[in-house]
Amino acid sequence: MRTVYVNGEYLPEDQAKVSIFDRGFLMADGVYEVTSVLDGKLVDFDGHAVRLDRSLSELSLHSPVTRDELLQIHRELVARNALTDGLIYLQITRGAPADRDFAFPDPDEVPPTIVLFTQSKPGLADAPAAKTGIRVISIEDIRWGRRDIKTVQLLYPSMGKMMAKAKGCDDAWMVENGYVTEGTSNNAYIVRDGRIVTRPKTNDILHGITRAAVLRYAEEAQMEVDERPFTLDEARAADEAFVTSASTFVMPVVEIDGTPIGTGAPGPVAARLREIYLEESRKAAI
Ligand code: PLP
């Protein structure tokens, strides 16, 4: 049984409780982060903490813990659960007022709810899918306009994964006005003539922490990066495609809507970036 963290307490998972009036539950009024753990260490903790602060501030939410306390809680959960490889999920919501109401409660009266738990994923960095690549479908992007805020409103991405599954695929790329925004839970890239292309950071996509690191490593390795929108047609005609996220690192995409990308096998750019990302992340993990 896991030990989880809820509002200041470490508890066995079956004793951890949140109110039915919690606004995370009733209104999806909350934000989250997922930090990966490799060899018992946190990958890019600072990046996730900075983005968390930004998500909170965009929603006028206040963190119930300081940055140092947050790091301490992450480390304590790793230790208490003897976590080697896996993830730490963190969620902060606008708390549980006495009743359901669209209006935000007074933050001085209703403290935010904070929950963290671990997910063990032995061999996280050796996922077999990294060798075979994943297959994606395209779906229309019908999400709201503030995708840069990492909110817990994940119904549509969840439906997107189910649509992919129904077609025997692994994931979905979302498309708006002909241009790919991102994957359901990852940022999307193509490679054309050696150049890495990915959508720029606007409110249309989540500003991936893995994306930031991968683009930095790509530039350090003298790879050419174009931050610009790309169409689905361009993606289908690309030499390579891949996605990035904290839990999958760099994952090759080998098929879009049944069309093989490039040779139909994971490409060299994605493979190299995955290698560099894992190597550098392990070195920098805390
Ligand atoms: N885009 C979306 C919609 C996501 O949900 C995620 C991760 O959950 C990402 C991109 C990748 O972000 P990160 O690299 O910070 O995990």
Side-chain angles (χ1 to χ4, degrees):
M1 182 171 324
R2 266 177 294 198
T3 295
V4 304
Y5 178 90
V6 187
N7 298 329
E9 286 188 289
Y10 293 94
L11 295 169
E13 63 183 57
D14 61 353
Q15 288 173 32
K17 301 271 189 295
V18 174
S19 163
I20 64 158
F21 297 111
D22 195 277
R23 288 181 59 93
F25 175 61
L26 295 179
M27 309 263 183
D29 186 357
V31 301
Y32 75 108
E33 280 296 331
V34 177
T35 303
S36 67
V37 174
L38 291 176
D39 308 321
K41 289 185 174 172
L42 306 165
V43 174
D44 220 334
F45 173 82
D46 286 342
H48 290 283
V50 167
R51 184 174 61 190
L52 173 67
D53 283 346
R54 180 172 181 277
S55 293
L56 289 169
S57 106
E58 291 298 304
L59 298 178
S60 312
L61 270 161
H62 300 284
S63 180
V65 293
T66 64
R67 178 85 54 92
D68 284 348
E69 286 165 345
L70 198 60
L71 175 58
Q72 188 49 36
I73 298 164
H74 276 73
R75 286 184 160 157
E76 191 65 30
L77 285 176
V78 168
R80 289 188 188 225
N81 293 287
L83 187 66
T84 306
D85 288 344
L87 311 169
I88 299 187
Y89 179 85
L90 150 78
Q91 180 168 326
I92 297 177
T93 76
R94 205 177 306 275
D99 207 349
R100 180 177 179 273
D101 191 344
F102 278 79
F104 292 177
D106 180 344
D108 292 333
E109 284 168 24
V110 179
T113 300
I114 177 166
V115 168
L116 287 94
F117 56 83
T118 54
Q119 291 189 282
S120 178
K121 307 259 178 202
L124 181 63
D126 305 313
K131 303 235 159 45
T132 56
I134 61 166
R135 298 186 302 146
V136 305
I137 60 165
S138 64
I139 60 173
E140 197 189 334
D141 196 338
I142 59 165
R143 296 173 301 160
W144 78 326
R146 290 304 305 275
R147 303 158 190 162
D148 56 310
I149 309 173
K150 198 164 168 68
T151 75
V152 296
Q153 318 173 54
L154 296 175
L155 182 54
Y156 187 63
S158 191
M159 288 168 72
K161 293 245 195 230
M162 294 310 289
M163 290 183 238
K165 208 170 161 185
K167 290 192 170 163
C169 291
D170 305 291
D171 203 355
W173 275 16
M174 294 179 281
V175 179
E176 192 169 54
N177 303 323
Y179 291 91
V180 174
T181 51
E182 58 189 332
T184 58
S185 59
N186 43 59
N187 290 115
Y189 308 72
I190 57 172
V191 181
R192 193 82 198 260
D193 301 324
R195 299 181 78 85
I196 298 160
V197 183
T198 196
R199 198 173 171 107
K201 288 196 305 185
T202 62
N203 292 355
D204 300 337
I205 62 166
L206 186 74
H207 305 176
I209 301 307
T210 320
R211 176 189 183 281
V214 163
L215 293 187
R216 196 171 67 241
Y217 298 141
E219 277 165 9
E220 281 168 16
Q222 322 293 330
M223 296 175 174
E224 308 276 1
V225 176
D226 294 331
E227 290 186 63
R228 64 165 177 85
F230 61 87
T231 64
L232 201 53
D233 283 343
E234 250 187 295
R236 287 199 204 92
D239 301 323
E240 285 186 45
F242 63 93
V243 292
T244 63
S245 76
S247 56
T248 62
F249 314 117
V250 178
M251 182 60 70
V253 169
V254 294
E255 193 183 294
I256 303 174
D257 292 329
T259 305
I261 306 306
T263 62
V269 174
R272 179 84 190 107
L273 283 174
R274 183 178 174 88
E275 199 179 283
I276 300 173
Y277 177 80
L278 283 170
E279 195 183 314
E280 296 298 325
S281 296
R282 282 185 199 278
K283 267 196 253 167
I286 57 170

